[in-house]
């Protein structure tokens, strides 16, 4: 698609038009940024010499005789060397000098290449295998150490929890001595009835507490000061 | 999206090709692609292939960076592509081609200038 757009640009045909000529189904949206701008790097032919430059005579460079000879020699040598390099490259890389397009030979060379690739790949695999095994062993060691550490921590945690629960149970057991059970419930009821406790009290004008529902305030020993 | 380095230019087996510099970059910032193009084609035309790049402005390490795809250059020269002078100079400095005489000339001039400067300093 890009090829079509770029090359139709030369004929001054818009990209959208160019796309319309193509048989390909994937269409690019028109984007002027895709198109190279044709810019001239010199002035047009019909523009005359600038007036200020009409009578300007460029100064000829003065090169000494021996230097000229040296430069000529350099260029001659360069051309020779260049030619030889080019010829070498033509001999080696020109498509006309390439090996025949016999499919069997191509397949053969491909297989040879593949064998070399396999060899290299196997070598790398071997190297990597050593590294991988080493790394895996290290990782396993690390994981085992981590797991052991975790197990120890879990044991300590469990121990602490066990001790905590034990403490709770012990305290409860100590407290349960005075609990009322099925066996001693009758005694407890009898005792409670026998020792009735009266929590009622009244406060007189002086702020003094008078304990008991039916107590009379005159009795001296029942007076208890709130300020105490 | 830029045109791919593999190029989109249309060419035939007999069209004369040339490896030359193609000025990219922008105003006051030259940057060149080393491209294979049809000899007569205008510089704005799509190229056959890009085989390298050349940044003529020295970077902060005082280097002018060149990248060349020697495999493809070998191929194209082997298939009859000409090499323009600036590219030949680059290839010469890269050791792919013989050193171009203009490189020597430039070196002479630079050396002369440096010597003059040193003399001025010493005086």
């Amino acid at each position: 698609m890009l090829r079509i757009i770029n090359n139709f640009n030369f004929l001054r045909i818009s990209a959208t038009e160019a796309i319309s000529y193509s048989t390909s189904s994937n269409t690019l949206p028109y984007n002027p940024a895709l198109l190279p701008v044709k810019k001239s790097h010199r002035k047009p032919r019909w523009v005359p010499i600038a007036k200020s430059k009409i009578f300007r005579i460029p100064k000829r460079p003065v090169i000494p005789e021996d230097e000229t000879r040296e430069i000529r020699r350099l260029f001659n040598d360069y051309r020779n060397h260049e030619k030889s390099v080019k010829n070498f490259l033509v001999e080696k890389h020109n498509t006309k000098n390439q090996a025949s397009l016999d499919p069997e030979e191509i397949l053969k060379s491909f297989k040879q290449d593949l064998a070399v690739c396999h060899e290299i790949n196997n070598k790398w695999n071997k190297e990597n295998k050593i590294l991988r095994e080493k790394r895996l062993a290290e990782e396993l060691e690390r994981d085992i150490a981590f797991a052991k550490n975790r197990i120890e921590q879990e044991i300590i945690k469990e121990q602490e929890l066990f001790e905590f629960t034990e403490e709770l149970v012990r305290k409860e057991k100590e407290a349960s001595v005075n609990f009322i059970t099925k066996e001693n419930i009758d005694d407890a009821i009898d005792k409670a009835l026998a020792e009735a406790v009266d929590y009622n009290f009244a406060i007189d004008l002086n702020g003094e507490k008078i304990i008991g529902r039916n107590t009379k305030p005159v009795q001296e020993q029942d007076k208890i000061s709130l300020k105490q | 999206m830029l045109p791919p380095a593999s190029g989109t230019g249309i060419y035939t087996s007999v069209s004369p090709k040339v490896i030359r510099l193609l000025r990219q970059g922008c105003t006051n910032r030259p940057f060149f692609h080393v491209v294979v193009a049809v000899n007569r084609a205008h510089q704005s035309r799509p190229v056959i292939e890009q085989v390298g790049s050349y940044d003529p402005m020295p970077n902060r390490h005082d280097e002018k960076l060149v990248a060349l795809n020697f495999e493809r250059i070998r191929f194209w020269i082997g298939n009859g592509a000409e090499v323009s002078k600036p590219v030949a100079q680059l290839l010469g400095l890269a050791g792919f081609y013989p050193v171009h005489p203009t490189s020597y000339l430039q070196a002479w001039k630079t050396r002369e200038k440096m010597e003059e400067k040193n003399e001025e300093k010493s005086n």
Side-chain angles (χ1 to χ4, degrees):
Chain A
M1 189 48 60
L2 214 56
R3 181 189 289 270
I4 290 163
I5 291 173
N6 282 357
N7 288 292
F8 269 94
N9 186 40
F10 175 68
L11 303 174
R12 300 201 174 280
I13 293 173
S14 75
T16 42
E17 256 180 284
I19 288 163
S20 72
Y21 293 129
S22 74
T23 51
S24 163
S25 60
N26 60 335
T27 47
L28 272 179
Y30 175 70
N31 184 357
L34 288 179
L35 306 172
V37 183
K38 185 162 185 175
K39 52 189 177 184
S40 178
H41 62 291
R42 15 186 103 165
K43 67 179 179 183
R45 262 194 187 177
W46 56 85
V47 174
I49 301 171
K51 277 186 178 171
S52 61
K53 304 278 192 250
I54 286 176
F55 301 110
R56 187 181 65 97
I57 300 168
K59 208 179 166 186
R60 302 291 298 173
V62 183
I63 302 167
E65 179 75 13
D66 56 339
E67 203 170 301
T68 317
R69 234 181 289 132
E70 176 65 11
I71 290 169
R72 194 170 290 148
R73 185 191 69 78
L74 277 176
F75 268 98
N76 287 341
D77 283 0
Y78 178 76
R79 274 192 294 273
N80 271 342
H81 290 152
E82 195 196 17
K83 233 183 276 174
S84 60
V85 170
K86 255 186 195 172
N87 285 343
F88 169 74
L89 291 175
V90 166
E91 208 169 290
K92 207 171 178 195
H93 295 284
N94 200 317
T95 42
K96 284 174 189 169
N97 300 338
Q98 292 301 308
S100 66
L101 295 172
D102 186 21
E104 277 185 13
E105 272 185 31
I106 290 171
L107 191 65
K108 199 178 160 190
S109 66
F110 171 74
K111 276 181 181 170
Q112 279 175 355
D113 186 44
L114 195 67
V116 173
C117 288
H118 270 307
E119 207 175 297
I120 293 168
N121 194 24
N122 288 341
K123 196 183 152 199
W124 287 348
N125 279 348
K126 269 180 196 169
E127 284 169 9
N128 270 331
K129 195 184 174 188
I130 295 164
L131 289 175
R132 184 174 64 240
E133 277 169 359
K134 195 183 161 194
R135 177 175 57 80
L136 286 177
E138 276 172 9
E139 277 181 7
L140 186 67
E141 213 171 287
R142 205 177 58 215
D143 286 358
I144 288 169
F146 178 74
K148 275 183 182 169
N149 189 23
R150 281 294 299 273
I151 288 168
E152 276 172 19
Q153 280 181 357
E154 283 295 314
I155 288 168
I156 290 167
K157 222 172 161 184
E158 268 182 21
Q159 191 68 31
E160 277 173 1
L161 190 64
F162 181 72
E163 278 168 14
F164 176 69
T165 47
E166 281 290 297
E167 182 71 19
L168 273 184
V169 170
R170 196 179 56 75
K171 276 182 183 170
E172 285 302 307
K173 271 184 182 170
E174 273 175 18
S176 71
V177 173
N178 298 324
F179 283 2
I180 297 165
T181 58
K182 271 185 182 174
E183 285 81 46
N184 62 4
I185 189 162
D186 293 331
D187 298 344
I189 290 168
D190 289 343
K191 199 181 171 189
L193 286 175
E195 298 171 11
V197 184
D198 194 358
Y199 293 102
N200 297 304
F201 66 89
I203 296 169
D204 66 0
L205 287 173
N206 300 327
E208 285 171 353
K209 224 175 180 180
I210 301 158
I211 292 166
R213 179 174 282 268
N214 302 316
T215 3
K216 302 287 178 193
V218 287
Q219 287 170 347
E220 198 66 30
Q221 66 264 28
D222 286 348
K223 281 186 180 177
I224 295 166
S225 176
L226 271 183
K227 289 173 186 174
Q228 271 182 352
Chain B
M1 196 172 73
L2 290 166
S6 59
T8 58
I10 289 175
Y11 63 101
T12 65
S13 61
V14 291
S15 49
K17 286 140 209 132
V18 63
I19 302 178
R20 66 186 179 194
L21 294 180
L22 176 65
R23 194 189 191 278
Q24 301 286 358
C26 54
T27 313
N28 299 327
R29 208 308 172 201
F31 185 88
F32 296 97
H33 284 182
V34 183
V35 299
V36 182
V38 175
N39 205 339
R40 307 177 296 267
H42 191 266
Q43 59 171 355
S44 65
R45 294 277 68 79
V47 298
I48 296 171
E49 189 176 337
Q50 187 194 343
V51 289
S53 63
Y54 170 49
D55 186 357
M57 288 180 86
N59 63 11
R60 58 178 172 171
H61 306 299
D62 211 18
E63 297 162 339
K64 295 178 181 180
L65 298 183
V66 186
L68 294 166
N69 186 347
F70 286 123
E71 199 184 329
R72 295 308 289 162
I73 291 172
R74 259 186 235 126
F75 170 83
W76 280 114
I77 293 174
N79 282 289
E82 293 296 315
V83 180
S84 78
K85 199 169 87 177
V87 174
Q89 286 169 350
L90 286 181
L91 291 178
L93 294 175
F96 183 82
Y97 248 31
V99 179
H100 200 275
T102 49
S103 300
Y104 286 121
L105 297 183
Q106 207 172 353
W108 294 346
K109 273 183 196 169
T110 320
R111 190 172 296 145
E112 265 177 30
K113 271 185 192 171
M114 278 174 70
E115 276 169 6
E116 273 175 26
K117 252 190 192 176
N118 287 341
E119 274 177 22
E120 274 177 23
K121 268 188 189 174
S122 59
N123 291 336

